[in-house]
Amino acid sequence: MSLEFLIGAIIGSGLFIFAGRPPAEKLLALVQDRLGRRRR
């Protein structure tokens, strides 16, 4: 496990706890969409 992944997981779990589930899912979808576009 890389340090970047750990930091991302901590921030992601923090957002999940503070913001609730729907905003966290929207943010994840946005990140996945951006990563998908970069791969092409």
Side-chain angles (χ1 to χ4, degrees), residues 4 12 21 23-24 30 34:
E4 284 177 22
R21 194 167 183 169
L30 191 86
R34 285 188 178 178

Side-chain angles (χ1 to χ4, degrees), residues 11-12 15-16 21-33:
I11 293 168
L15 275 171
F16 190 84
R21 194 167 183 169
E25 286 177 350
K26 283 181 186 176
L27 189 70
L28 272 171
L30 191 86
V31 170
Q32 286 173 352
D33 187 49

Side-chain angles (χ1 to χ4, degrees), residues 1-22:
M1 233 182 348
S2 69
L3 187 64
E4 284 177 22
F5 180 82
L6 269 172
I7 292 166
I10 292 162
I11 293 168
S13 62
L15 275 171
F16 190 84
I17 291 160
F18 291 117
R21 194 167 183 169

